[in-house]
Every structure is written in structure tokens, then in C-alpha cells.
Amino acid sequence: MRPFYGALAGAGALLLTGISAVQAATEIELWHAMSGALGERVDEVVKKFNDSQKDYVVKSIAKGTYDEVLNGTIAAYRAKRQPEIVQSNERSFLTMVNSGAIVPTNELMAEQGMPLDTSKFIAPVVSYFAINGKLQAMPFNSSTPILFYNRDHFKAAGFDKPAATWQELEPQLDAIKAKGVSKCAMVLPGDYEWSFLENYSAVNDIPYATKRNGMDGLDTSFVFNKGKLVGQVERMKRLVSSGVMQLAGQGIIPIQLFTSGECSTIIASTASHAAVVAAAKFDWSAREIPYEQGVTPKNSVIGGAALWTLKGHTPEKYKAVAAFYDFLAKTDTQVWWHQATGYVPVTTAAYDAAKAQGYYEKNPTREIAVVQLMRGTPSDNSLGFRIGNSNQINVAIMEEVSAAFLGRKPVQQALDDAVSRGNEALRRYEQLNAGKK
Amino acid sequence: MLARNKAAGLAQAAGGGGPRLRSPLRRLFVKGTSDGQTESGLKRAHFKEWRLPFWLLAPQLFILLLFFFIPSIRALIQAFQLTDPFGATTQWVGFQNFERLFRSNVYWSSAQVTLIFTIAQNVLTLSLALLLAFASNHILRGRGAYRTVLLLPYAIAPAIAGIMLAFLFNPRVGPVAHMLQGMGLDWDPNRNSWHALALVVMAASWKHICYNYIFLVAALMSVPQSILESAYLDGAGPIQRFLRISLPMIAPTLFFLIVINFVYGLFETFAIVDATTRGGPAGATSILVYKVYQDGFVTLDLGSSAAQSVVLMALALLLTFAQFRFVERRVNYSV
């Protein structure tokens, strides 16, 4: 594989920077999980960097899904053939931090004399990727869920737009189906654990796990089987069994059911903008995710991924990595990235710049995510999530909640089971990582 | 028994009667040169020295070592460990992984799903393949064309087969699903575990019918024409001839296929499940081999995944043992 990629990169470098630059340039690899339109944007931002200077060449290599990238990285690391930079989703934060395989971003940047000022990054991003104010990874593609809706469908059903609270939204969705405007009033996203459970608890300011959702230590346990979240899952079950909310199913990406006009609404990552803009042939818009009546909604939490620097490379390579991160943090890069992909800008300067350009007046839906992320003062429940063994727990929760959808067990029992399976995995993580973060 | 019969058959084919190796290598294999040995075939062959057999076996042993023994031993070790995915921290935890596995309802329900899946898949595959083989054996015109068409699915990658069925049966966009819904069935494999299981069984069977079909066609062709003709003269109809003559005579092939189908269902359907349902909804189609993959590669629970693969390996050994020890005796090979 290596020689092939080497040759490919060599050829690419020749094309991009001209022969003179090739001998001197330091090459580094970036493994990422972006496919389709977003993958092209990654290649573009990398090309922008490569064109911007002559000393370094970054090669972007798509390695499949986030899971596949992580697996590939682990295999490569164990075989001592790891890339310099790897993109890993927010969920795997603790796995990466405690892997012993990474160079914390703040240390890397300080060593190279390009310190990153965390106060320049937007708060929810910092609270996710920094420990005690020190960035562990370079925030790259950050998103948060928003509610996309088909305006034509809402008009046809006699509504102006989706209501802000679940209490008012649910009858609207029922009406869309009952009036025959569309057979699918909402499509459930594949990552609903993130958008319907985690973000729901953040926005409604209810605890998901103890110890500030794990931020204060590994001895955290889940508590989402009590209170409002049970009601939320009850509601989801109601919507699913009445056929108002549809499940996309294997092979079909939920957002495609929205962009094709089949389903009237979807709660999806703001990064779905890329797909919606490209494919939706109807009048669409978006708004904040719904919350409970009577609640003053808090900020939502981020998803997406960050870039991690792996250990075991030469100082020269780390210089290249630092230069690349520095380039990414630049306001121009961030503004471009935000507008090209739909991800939120990770620095406040970039947000202000986009605003000053009048970008949000022309594209109001692009601002929703940023506003929602920065809404109110973050509480203990909306700071973010720091959960060990999170992939295992994620799968367990999804499995239990869908068992409730199928009617295999009552909602309360499904959530109790999810909590006990989750806690078991948390205890295992604690056992293995005793004494770590 | 099978091995001996096969060897005898080989030997007969090669020389008919006496000791059978005709090649110049023969002197190396057979102890002494006397032709007076009573047992025939390779089974009784002896090597005079170790070098030749070693080199003959070496490539195969090397591959086994690399792809079977080393991974198996590593899995066995890992099954007793708790480890960080990157390998930074490793703890020896004894039987903790196994205890956790056998206490887990999820694992038992996965075992149950696997049982239903393999049996359903086996019955469906074998009966349809048998029906097709019987039918295509009775068609005179265009027999070759039919056979070719019937064999085509085997050339399709399991992942593609799976995703194709997932699309066809998707409750929102699939044409077959719409047909079923039109017939009044509330078809939705995303919300109904039995529908999901049926879908996976269909995908797995569709892919494997061809394999069964090849063997059955060959077996049916080897049924002596003379017996069939005399039955015909005695007034037996095609179905009667099939049930009374052909079927008993192809019993060894059927038995072989049943075992192969179980092995296929247990160990080789991972790609199909992954493409069709991803083990969902709520683990309804998460068969054991898929769970090994999911726990190991998606959720990075390496200890549990290793423990599961050890259990699966034990199951495979048990199955093989049972096959030769108990079942095979009841099958008559002397066609």
C-alpha cells in the first residue's frame, strides 16, 4: 500500500506544487472519514493548504466511516505505520485521549511556537475537546442537530412552520400524515442517540449521566432512565408506531428521504446542508431542534469530529502538522469551510466574519446551528459528554431503544436495561483506565 | 469412512485393483515395493523419510500457521484480557469475559436468532435448490440456459446481494415492499423483527441456492438411468421416481449440503447480514458471527469479541465431531 500511496502522492505533489518544491517538502498523511461532497471539501481544504506554502504537503486519504478510520488507525498504530493525522469523531474522545498514542494538540502547537488560544474557539467545541482548557485534538468539523423541514408540506397542511416545542410539533406531524400531505411526516436519523437523546437532555437541561456527564471523572453512571427522557422515548415510540415517524432502513440514508420530498421533516446534523442544497427540489427551511414546553432551552452539544496527532513521527513531520492546524484555525479557512460544508465555524472570529459578510442574511438556515450552540450559559447538563467505551454504550442504547420501538419491551424497561448495560461498560472502562482522565 | 471410500475410489480409478500409485513418485510413498498390500490407496502409504512430505505440506502448513494458528492463539489469549483498543493498557481478567458473555441476555438472544436463522436458511436453501434441480433435470429444451441463469446469483458478491434485497424490501422505497403492503401485509423490517429475520434468511438463501443446486444437479445426473427407466416401465411417474429412487440415491449429497449450509449460515453470512440489516432492528438479526464483528470492530470490545470467537470455534469443532461421529454413519454412501 505504502509505495503506491507514496507514488500517488509524489505524482500529486508534482502536479500541485511543481518540481522545485518536491525535494524539500515534508509529506504528512491525513486519514479521514468524509465521503461524497464532504470528502471533496476535505480534499479542497488540503489543496488550499498545499498551495499556500512550499514546505509541506498534506495527503488526504479517505478511509471509510468513522469506525473504519478508527479501526484502520489502531491497526496501523499497532503495526507502527500510523499516519500523522487522523480524524476521529467526538464520541471517541476518551478512547483517543487515553490511548497513549496521541500528542495533545496544545503541546504540539506550543512546541512549534504556534500556540492555539482556546478562548478564540466557540465554547461548546472547547468544552468537548479540551481538558482543563488544553486542546487535546484540533477541532475540525463540528456540527449540531437542527430541524430541516419541507415548507411546501407545512403550507399544504395549513401551518406556517414547525412549532418550537414538542408539545406543539407532535400534533402538526400527526396532521401532516392525517391530511395526506405526506405519508412520512418525519424520518428518524440514523444517529438518533445523539440528536434525540443526548442533545435532548442538553437542550432541556436534564442530567444524562452523573459527574457532569462524565466531565468530572470516570466514576460516572447513567441516569437517563428517569424523568423527561422517558417521556421523549415514549413520544418517539408513539410516532414510530403510528407511522408518523419513519425509519429509513439499511442502504438508505435518512436525509435522502427528506431531500427526495418523501418525508416532511428530519432532525439532522447541520452538515446535511451540503446534501439538502444539492438535492432538495422544493421550498425547504430549517429551525432549532424542538424542546419541552415550559423549558428555557439551553445550548445543544456538538457532534462531528476533530483531528488527532499520532505519536511516533519525526520533529519535521510535526512541524508540518502544526502548520496545517494553524492554517485550519485561520479565519479565512474557517469561513470557507463553514460555507462550503454546513459545519459550524469553530472560532468566534470566523462566525463574526461570516456575519459581517452578510452571509446569514442570504442563508439564514446556516446560522441556526451556531446560535443554538451558543444559546444561554452552558449548564452541567449541556457542557458535553465524556463517556468511556462510548461506542459500546452507543450500540447498547440504540439496541434497547429500538427494542422499545418494536414493542419488545416497555419504554421504561428498555431505558433501565440501557442504563445498566451502559453502566457495566463504564465500570469496565474505569477498571482498565484507573488513574487516568 | 468417507475418506477411505474416496481413497479407494481414487485408487480404483487409477489402476483398478492392486496398489495404485502409478507416478514415478510411487517408490517414495510406498514402503517396500511389493505389490502384495491388502489395503489400498494413500491411507496406507508410508514415507521413507521426512523431507519430501515436509516440503509438500509446507505451503499449506505455512498458510495455516499464518491465518489460523497464530490468530487463534491470539484470540484465545485476548479472551482472557481486558484491553484498550490501541493496546496501551492490558489487564489479565481470567474468565471475566466469558462470565459476562454467558450472563448476557443479549448474547443468548443472539444465539437463539442464530439457531432460527441457520435452520430456516438450511430448509429454504435445500428445498428450493432441490426443486430447481428436479425441474431443470426434467426440462429438455434449453436446459443449459436454465442452469446458467440459475447459477448466476453465485457470481454476485454477498454484500451486493444483501444491499439489493434491502432496497427491494425497503418499506418506503422498495417495489417488493410496496407490493406486499398492497396485499395488506404491514411489511416493515425496520419495525418488525420477524420481517427483518425473514429478509436476512431470504438474502442468505438466495445467495446459497446456486451452490446447493450445482451439487444436486450433479448428483441427480449420476443416478443410473437404467433404474429410472425400469421404474418408468413399471409405471412410476416422475415425482414418484424422484421421491423413491433419486432422492435416496442422492442422500449423501444432501447430507453433505446440510452440513455445508450450517457452516455457511453460522460462519459465512456476516457480509449478508451487514449489508441487509446490520444486525438490527434491536439485535433481531444479530447472529453470533455478526456479533463477533460488531463487538470487535465497531464497538472495540476486544475481550468480549475474542471470547465469542473462542465459543464459535468450539461450536465449529463440536459440529464437525458430531457430523463424523453420529450423523454420517446413518448415510449410505455405496451408490
Side-chain angles (χ1 to χ4, degrees), chain A residues 19 65 113 122 127 144 146 188 199 217 339-340 347 355:
Chain A
I19 296 164
T65 62
I122 64 170
S127 64
T144 204
I146 61 174
L188 189 72
N199 267 291
Q339 296 179 357
T347 60
K355 210 176 198 170

Side-chain angles (χ1 to χ4, degrees), chain B residues 258-271:
Chain B
I258 287 172
V259 175
I260 289 290
N261 287 347
F262 267 114
V263 172
Y264 166 77
L266 275 175
F267 303 105
E268 288 166 42
T269 40
F270 151 77

Side-chain angles (χ1 to χ4, degrees), chain A residues 140-394:
Chain A
F140 182 54
N141 54 319
S142 291
S143 62
T144 204
I146 61 174
L147 169 70
F148 288 91
Y149 64 96
N150 183 324
R151 219 183 220 154
D152 295 339
H153 286 182
F154 271 79
K155 267 186 203 146
F159 305 115
D160 183 32
K161 61 178 179 185
T165 65
W166 275 112
Q167 279 69 20
E168 292 163 287
L169 180 64
E170 197 180 342
Q172 285 185 336
L173 297 176
D174 288 341
I176 287 173
K177 172 142 175 141
K179 288 181 185 167
V181 175
S182 92
K183 278 187 192 161
C184 168
M186 183 178 262
V187 53
L188 189 72
D191 52 0
Y192 67 79
E193 199 255 345
W194 173 62
S195 45
F196 277 72
L197 308 181
E198 287 177 1
N199 267 291
Y200 173 87
S201 68
V203 164
N204 289 292
D205 200 7
I206 53 175
Y208 195 75
T210 59
K211 297 263 168 179
R212 298 201 299 161
N213 292 331
M215 290 282 179
D216 283 351
L218 296 184
D219 51 342
T220 168
S221 2
F222 290 110
V223 290
F224 58 74
N225 55 339
K226 301 176 194 120
K228 283 191 179 131
L229 214 116
V230 183
Q232 166 79 340
V233 178
E234 294 275 9
R235 172 165 43 230
M236 289 166 80
K237 188 192 166 168
R238 204 157 57 229
L239 290 170
V240 168
S241 27
S242 63
V244 170
M245 184 150 73
Q246 300 275 342
L247 283 64
Q250 181 63 347
I252 309 237
I253 301 161
I255 193 74
Q256 290 173 341
L257 286 179
F258 174 74
T259 55
S260 67
E262 180 93 6
C263 295
S264 310
T265 59
I266 183 171
I267 293 178
S269 157
T270 183
S272 305
H273 264 110
V276 175
V277 170
K281 300 274 183 289
F282 49 83
D283 188 15
W284 61 272
S285 189
R287 70 164 305 161
E288 302 83 2
I289 55 170
Y291 49 87
E292 294 291 327
Q293 205 154 36
V295 165
T296 311
K298 288 276 175 197
N299 63 292
S300 57
V301 293
I302 61 152
L307 302 181
W308 296 83
T309 319
L310 293 170
K311 272 188 185 163
H313 297 288
T314 59
E316 197 55 31
K317 302 260 185 189
Y318 287 127
K319 250 181 216 163
V321 175
F324 182 55
Y325 289 172
D326 189 57
F327 174 81
L328 287 181
K330 281 197 163 70
T331 306
D332 287 351
T333 318
Q334 281 299 320
V335 170
W336 177 83
W337 174 252
H338 165 52
Q339 296 179 357
T341 59
Y343 283 110
V344 295
V346 292
T347 60
T348 41
Y351 172 52
D352 292 341
K355 210 176 198 170
Q357 284 177 6
Y359 179 71
Y360 299 122
E361 277 143 40
K362 276 182 233 145
N363 305 280
T365 59
R366 298 294 182 119
E367 199 179 8
I368 296 168
V370 195
V371 170
Q372 186 177 271
L373 277 173
M374 306 210 286
R375 179 169 66 187
T377 326
S379 70
D380 286 357
N381 298 322
S382 69
L383 262 180
F385 297 84
R386 195 153 293 167
I387 303 296
N389 277 343
S390 56
N391 284 358
Q392 291 169 38
I393 293 168
N394 194 24

Side-chain angles (χ1 to χ4, degrees), chain B residues 105-283:
Chain B
N105 293 333
V106 181
Y107 190 68
W108 288 113
S109 90
S110 170
Q112 208 179 339
V113 167
T114 311
L115 191 70
I116 301 172
F117 169 76
T118 41
I119 292 175
Q121 179 266 127
N122 211 330
V123 170
L124 192 69
T125 308
L126 204 58
S127 52
L128 284 180
L130 203 53
L131 190 74
L132 290 172
F134 168 71
S136 67
N137 221 24
H138 278 264
I139 292 169
L140 293 177
R141 201 169 297 173
R143 191 188 281 184
Y146 279 105
R147 281 182 186 160
T148 312
V149 170
L150 286 171
L151 288 177
L152 276 179
Y154 200 64
I156 295 172
I160 294 171
I163 210 75
M164 203 171 71
L165 257 84
F167 272 119
L168 287 174
F169 284 89
N170 183 290
R172 288 240 50 86
V173 298
V176 182
H178 287 165
M179 222 168 68
L180 290 171
Q181 284 159 352
M183 282 155 58
L185 178 70
D186 186 19
W187 172 265
D188 192 344
N190 301 322
R191 282 194 293 147
N192 185 317
S193 26
W194 292 111
H195 292 178
L197 198 55
L199 190 59
V200 180
V201 169
M202 269 193 281
S205 307
W206 183 71
K207 199 56 199 90
H208 212 54
I209 282 175
C210 338
Y211 184 88
N212 284 226
Y213 174 78
I214 300 172
F215 278 83
L216 291 172
V217 164
L220 284 176
M221 288 200 308
S222 72
V223 173
Q225 205 60 33
S226 52
I227 305 180
L228 290 172
E229 273 165 13
S230 63
Y232 178 70
L233 290 177
D234 289 341
I239 293 172
Q240 210 174 1
R241 270 176 288 156
F242 178 72
L243 291 177
R244 295 282 169 85
I245 297 167
S246 304
L247 206 56
M249 295 195 89
I250 62 169
T253 307
L254 285 177
F255 167 71
F256 164 78
L257 285 173
I258 287 172
V259 175
I260 289 290
N261 287 347
F262 267 114
V263 172
Y264 166 77
L266 275 175
F267 303 105
E268 288 166 42
T269 40
F270 151 77
I272 285 182
V273 172
D274 193 47
T276 319
T277 58
R278 292 216 156 199

Side-chain angles (χ1 to χ4, degrees), chain A residues 67 71 74 78 99 240 246-252 262 391-392 399 403 406 408 424 428 431-432 436, chain B residues 82 84-89 91 100 106 167 170 172-173 190-191 274-276 278 282 297-301:
Chain A
D67 289 339
N71 269 312
I74 289 168
R78 289 185 158 200
S99 67
V240 168
Q246 300 275 342
L247 283 64
Q250 181 63 347
I252 309 237
E262 180 93 6
N391 284 358
Q392 291 169 38
E399 226 170 69
L406 300 177
R408 280 175 155 196
E424 205 193 334
R428 239 179 5 256
Q431 179 190 341
L432 187 66
K436 291 191 190 160
Chain B
L82 196 58
D84 169 87
F86 279 87
T89 328
Q91 278 175 16
R100 179 150 65 89
V106 181
F167 272 119
N170 183 290
R172 288 240 50 86
V173 298
N190 301 322
R191 282 194 293 147
D274 193 47
T276 319
R278 292 216 156 199
F297 287 94
V298 179
T299 73
L300 301 174
D301 189 353

